[in-house]
Amino acid sequence: MDPRKLQILGAIVEDFVSTREPVGSKSLLDRHDLGVSAATVRNDMSVLEEEGLITQPHTSAGRVPTDKGYRAFVDHVATIKPLSTGERRAISTFLEDAGDVDELLFRTVRLLSQLTHQVAMVQYPAPQQARVRHVELVKVADSLLLVVLITEAGRVDQRTIALAQPRDAEFYEGLRDGLLRAVSGREVNDVERGLARLVAATAPADQDAVREVTDVVAALAASRTEDRIVMAGTGNLARSAADFARDMEPLLDLLEEQLVLLRLLSEMGAEPGTVQVRIGEENRNRSLTQASLVGAGYRAGSHLAILGPTRMDYVTGISTVQALARYIHRFLE
Amino acid sequence: MDPRKLQILGAIVEDFVSTREPVGSKSLLDRHDLGVSAATVRNDMSVLEEEGLITQPHTSAGRVPTDKGYRAFVDHVATIKPLSTGERRAISTFLEDAGDVDELLFRTVRLLSQLTHQVAMVQYPAPQQARVRHVELVKVADSLLLVVLITEAGRVDQRTIALAQPRDAEFYEGLRDGLLRAVSGREVNDVERGLARLVAATAPADQDAVREVTDVVAALAASRTEDRIVMAGTGNLARSAADFARDMEPLLDLLEEQLVLLRLLSEMGAEPGTVQVRIGEENRNRSLTQASLVGAGYRAGSHLAILGPTRMDYVTGISTVQALARYIHRFLE
DNA sequence: CATTGGCACTCGGAACCGCCGGGTGCCAAC
DNA sequence: GTTGGCACCCGGCGGTTCCGAGTGCCAATG
């Protein structure tokens, strides 16, 4: 495809993103030095329109990029410049003293939304395969038991259960020691057998009470914390609302649906390190036909992304998403 | 104050909340059976206006409640009817099988926003005074150590630290045992001395490495998880945006500022069990002059609240907030 | 004396209208 | 292929008009 036409497409996208108004041949020349006359630009524009990359909202008004136009832009025109060293340093200093993973994710998503001026979301990291380090049982109340599982990888999972058959504290101390012997040092996906053996070795009268607890331990070991999402910058959506307005309502609803978002993120199928872009109608989801997603994986099965109007600044979006994905990838290893 | 005037005030508030438009004497009669004529209503309205409870947006238009008017409404007119048993049951079934506290708070805030159609927020519960149950050290990487502290009350706190003086795994196993002897069974606010003694009893060469860890344990014991907030229903704000529009931007920014929100919640000073309402200008915060907060405590120092436009449905707001505060109060005890 | 029906008056907002300017497509010329 | 010129298009903006919901006031009434 003619490089000048691509250049013009780029200029149109750029102008439209910043002004939010259809851009015409003259005003394009005002802001970009294309080295050709307005008439030429007009001719090229009408070709671009035939190809479906741009469109006119009304007869004889400026042109606006279509979804396909944005796609061509990110694929063939946009050059993703890496962040400046200043920006990199800012990211590091802001993230490096995050205490735990929760805090890291929270800060990351916050930063992402501030740098891109879009809604940002980060999926909880998928647990790595790891051995069980410790199990702890804490009797919180008469029939409430807190079960804590700690892995070598540093993950801490907890769950409180209502006991159907409460026993006294000593019982659970003994049970804890039994659990430790049964699962400590095992891979998390290999605790089942150890637990089964523990149950089998228990006096029949105690088996039900024990099974209550072992079930939870098994669930915790298999638990997929990655099915949670942290989000920030919802306000940015409303800010750009002025134009992609009404259609924003379903979007806001969508943001409350963690399950849907999770599916969305996985469906993007961004391998760790790669950035994927979904533009407008490319999204299967009906609420997203006016929106774009820019996402990246930072570990197998774990993603982060930004969401904004199709007319968003893809260049900084992509580079920021990539930078942060890399950063937390490194941080977590 | 004349009961009929209060009744009229109530009717005005009610109509304005549902129609979002200034309400005049005639249309008021259409929707409420007040037993008097329009002229009488007009007279009463002009009195209410003199008292500053309602106001006219423009000369000869309908009336709109002022902040003071809403205040009078919630204080003297609104009758808070408890939730129906159906609603109560819905709350129970939705919340009862929440696994851990995180999950409980998440569901609560979600429910709160859905029932009231406002933005909902819940503060993390302030830790109860409790004894240390367990301390665990997990070496996650070469110079990264995960420190976990579990209390009798069932709280699990964790933090990862970058070690300035990394030692081998055995060292930390020994240290863990030392820590357990030093702090296990102590009140969380009384771990300092035990830790100090442990450091003192350590060989001088090891003291720095040990202190790195004991500092974190002390910090965790003193840590105030209550300074976090879970939020839901941000979209509801944008939905009501149509009218309290522009002034919504700072509000959305505010929602990103957890620290400010926390101060806000504590400043409301809602004792556990009581519901507090802050209307419009009553809020010190400038971003909130168009908004109202309805909050309640569910434990000393821990609150939950909804935030919406001053013209919100205070009746269901107050009763829902109260019901949920009571529910998680009971749940946590 | 509070209440009521009547009446003149007000004014914001919707509907209507005409102009303006940025934009287009086409064409002849280079 | 590119360019300048030109006729034409039409959405949006400012100005004007008109309508109706709403008010305040007043004289009459039980």
Side-chain angles (χ1 to χ4, degrees):
Chain A
M1 149 90 73
D2 181 355
R4 193 187 60 211
K5 293 197 178 60
L6 285 179
Q7 188 190 1
I8 290 179
L9 174 64
I12 293 175
V13 169
E14 205 173 291
D15 277 19
F16 181 65
V17 165
S18 61
T19 67
R20 302 184 176 189
E21 273 171 16
V23 10
S25 50
K26 276 183 205 158
S27 53
L28 201 63
L29 286 177
D30 287 351
R31 310 184 30 141
H32 299 82
D33 192 15
L34 297 174
V36 290
S37 77
T40 311
V41 173
R42 278 205 289 283
N43 291 332
D44 283 358
M45 279 168 108
S46 78
V47 174
L48 287 172
E49 182 158 22
E50 275 171 32
E51 313 215 344
L53 300 179
I54 55 180
T55 183
Q56 293 178 276
H58 338 278
T59 317
S60 66
R63 303 305 216 292
V64 164
T66 62
D67 289 355
K68 198 175 159 197
Y70 287 120
R71 166 56 60 196
F73 176 75
V74 310
D75 285 351
H76 304 121
V77 184
T79 59
I80 307 304
K81 52 178 189 305
L83 299 191
S84 71
T85 56
E87 287 169 310
R88 294 188 165 277
R89 196 164 329 124
I91 294 178
S92 301
T93 54
F94 186 64
L95 295 184
E96 72 186 353
D97 58 337
D100 54 10
V101 175
D102 272 11
E103 184 72 16
L104 173 71
L105 296 185
F106 185 72
R107 291 193 183 196
T108 301
V109 78
R110 187 96 201 265
L111 196 54
L112 190 52
S113 82
Q114 285 177 345
L115 291 177
T116 62
H117 306 294
Q118 309 295 347
V119 182
M121 53 190 96
V122 178
Q123 194 173 358
Y124 262 68
Q128 285 180 306
Q129 211 45 259
R131 296 173 188 283
V132 172
R133 169 66 184 253
H134 189 76
V135 177
E136 185 64 41
L137 304 181
V138 183
K139 202 146 183 224
V140 186
D142 227 25
S143 59
L144 279 184
L145 187 74
L146 172 72
V147 183
V148 182
L149 183 100
I150 305 180
T151 71
E152 301 279 357
R155 192 159 58 99
V156 180
D157 283 326
Q158 49 171 312
R159 182 172 306 172
T160 312
I161 48 174
L163 296 167
Q165 316 207 340
R167 298 303 199 80
D168 60 14
E170 282 136 50
F171 175 80
Y172 291 107
E173 283 197 21
L175 178 53
R176 181 201 38 191
D177 295 340
L179 282 170
L180 279 176
R181 276 193 302 276
V183 302
S184 168
R186 280 183 190 275
E187 294 283 341
V188 288
N189 56 0
D190 183 39
V191 298
E192 296 281 355
R193 277 184 320 179
L195 292 174
R197 219 173 297 150
L198 175 64
V199 174
T202 310
D206 292 339
Q207 286 199 351
D208 284 350
V210 169
R211 199 171 287 119
E212 275 191 325
V213 177
T214 56
D215 283 352
V216 173
V217 173
L220 283 178
S223 87
R224 318 173 350 120
T225 34
E226 79 267 37
D227 49 15
R228 259 192 207 172
I229 282 185
V230 208
M231 205 172 327
T234 343
N236 292 327
L237 251 194
R239 235 180 293 280
S240 40
D243 34 343
F244 87 129
R246 283 299 116 56
D247 322 285
M248 193 188 55
E249 273 223 35
L251 246 182
L252 288 164
D253 291 336
L254 182 79
L255 293 185
E256 304 270 320
E257 298 293 343
Q258 302 230 348
L259 290 181
V260 182
L261 289 178
L262 282 162
R263 214 180 45 225
L264 225 52
L265 286 181
S266 351
E267 276 174 2
M268 293 189 68
E271 298 304 308
T274 67
V275 178
Q276 287 281 333
V277 182
R278 283 281 137 78
I279 299 165
E281 303 277 355
E282 294 175 6
N283 291 296
R284 297 274 185 76
N285 196 303
R286 305 198 63 207
S287 324
L288 286 177
T289 49
Q290 308 270 36
S292 287
L293 270 173
V294 177
Y298 64 88
R299 173 189 282 186
S302 308
H303 309 85
L304 89 190
I306 59 175
L307 182 158
T310 46
R311 105 186 124 33
M312 68 180 261
D313 179 350
Y314 291 97
V315 176
T316 69
I318 292 174
S319 43
T320 314
V321 163
Q322 184 166 60
L324 279 175
R326 285 195 182 144
Y327 190 93
I328 57 179
H329 171 77
R330 273 209 313 271
F331 191 100
L332 290 178
E333 302 312 314
Chain B
M1 151 88 76
D2 182 354
R4 193 187 60 212
K5 292 196 179 60
L6 285 179
Q7 188 190 1
I8 290 179
L9 174 63
I12 293 175
V13 169
E14 207 172 289
D15 277 19
F16 181 64
V17 165
S18 60
T19 67
R20 303 184 176 189
E21 273 171 16
V23 11
S25 51
K26 276 182 204 158
S27 53
L28 201 63
L29 285 177
D30 288 350
R31 310 184 29 140
H32 299 83
D33 191 17
L34 297 172
V36 291
S37 77
T40 311
V41 173
R42 279 206 288 284
N43 290 333
D44 283 358
M45 279 168 107
S46 79
V47 174
L48 287 171
E49 181 158 23
E50 273 171 32
E51 312 215 343
L53 300 178
I54 56 179
T55 182
Q56 294 178 276
H58 337 277
T59 316
S60 68
R63 303 307 216 290
V64 164
T66 61
D67 289 355
K68 199 175 161 198
Y70 286 119
R71 167 56 60 196
F73 175 75
V74 310
D75 285 351
H76 304 121
V77 184
T79 60
I80 308 303
K81 52 177 187 306
L83 299 191
S84 72
T85 57
E87 288 169 310
R88 291 187 167 278
R89 194 162 332 122
I91 293 178
S92 301
T93 55
F94 186 64
L95 295 185
E96 72 187 353
D97 58 336
D100 55 9
V101 174
D102 272 10
E103 185 70 17
L104 174 71
L105 296 184
F106 186 71
R107 291 192 183 197
T108 302
V109 78
R110 186 98 200 263
L111 196 54
L112 190 51
S113 82
Q114 285 176 346
L115 292 176
T116 62
H117 307 293
Q118 308 294 348
V119 182
M121 54 189 95
V122 178
Q123 193 174 358
Y124 262 69
Q128 286 180 304
Q129 211 45 259
R131 295 174 189 282
V132 172
R133 170 66 183 254
H134 189 77
V135 177
E136 186 63 41
L137 304 181
V138 182
K139 201 147 184 223
V140 186
D142 227 26
S143 58
L144 279 184
L145 187 74
L146 172 71
V147 183
V148 181
L149 183 99
I150 305 179
T151 71
E152 301 279 357
R155 192 160 58 101
V156 180
D157 282 327
Q158 48 170 313
R159 182 171 307 172
T160 312
I161 47 173
L163 297 167
Q165 316 206 338
R167 298 303 200 79
D168 60 14
E170 282 136 53
F171 175 80
Y172 291 107
E173 283 197 22
L175 178 52
R176 183 206 30 197
D177 294 340
L179 282 169
L180 279 176
R181 276 193 301 278
V183 303
S184 165
R186 280 183 189 275
E187 293 283 341
V188 288
N189 56 359
D190 184 37
V191 297
E192 296 282 356
R193 276 184 321 178
L195 292 174
R197 219 173 296 148
L198 175 64
V199 173
T202 309
D206 293 337
Q207 285 200 351
D208 284 349
V210 169
R211 200 172 285 118
E212 275 190 324
V213 177
T214 55
D215 283 353
V216 173
V217 173
L220 283 178
S223 88
R224 317 171 354 118
T225 35
E226 80 266 39
D227 48 14
R228 260 192 206 172
I229 282 184
V230 207
M231 205 172 330
T234 344
N236 292 327
L237 250 193
R239 236 180 294 279
S240 40
D243 35 342
F244 86 131
R246 283 298 117 56
D247 322 284
M248 193 189 55
E249 273 224 34
L251 246 181
L252 288 164
D253 291 336
L254 182 78
L255 293 185
E256 304 270 320
E257 299 292 343
Q258 302 232 347
L259 290 180
V260 182
L261 289 178
L262 282 162
R263 215 181 44 224
L264 225 52
L265 286 181
S266 349
E267 276 174 2
M268 291 188 70
E271 298 302 309
T274 67
V275 178
Q276 287 282 332
V277 182
R278 284 282 138 77
I279 298 165
E281 303 276 356
E282 294 175 8
N283 292 296
R284 298 275 185 75
N285 196 304
R286 306 198 63 207
S287 324
L288 286 176
T289 48
Q290 308 269 37
S292 286
L293 270 172
V294 177
Y298 64 87
R299 172 190 282 186
S302 308
H303 309 86
L304 90 190
I306 59 174
L307 182 156
T310 47
R311 106 188 121 35
M312 67 180 261
D313 180 350
Y314 291 98
V315 175
T316 70
I318 291 173
S319 43
T320 313
V321 163
Q322 184 166 59
L324 280 174
R326 285 195 183 144
Y327 191 92
I328 55 179
H329 171 77
R330 273 209 313 271
F331 192 99
L332 290 177
E333 302 310 315

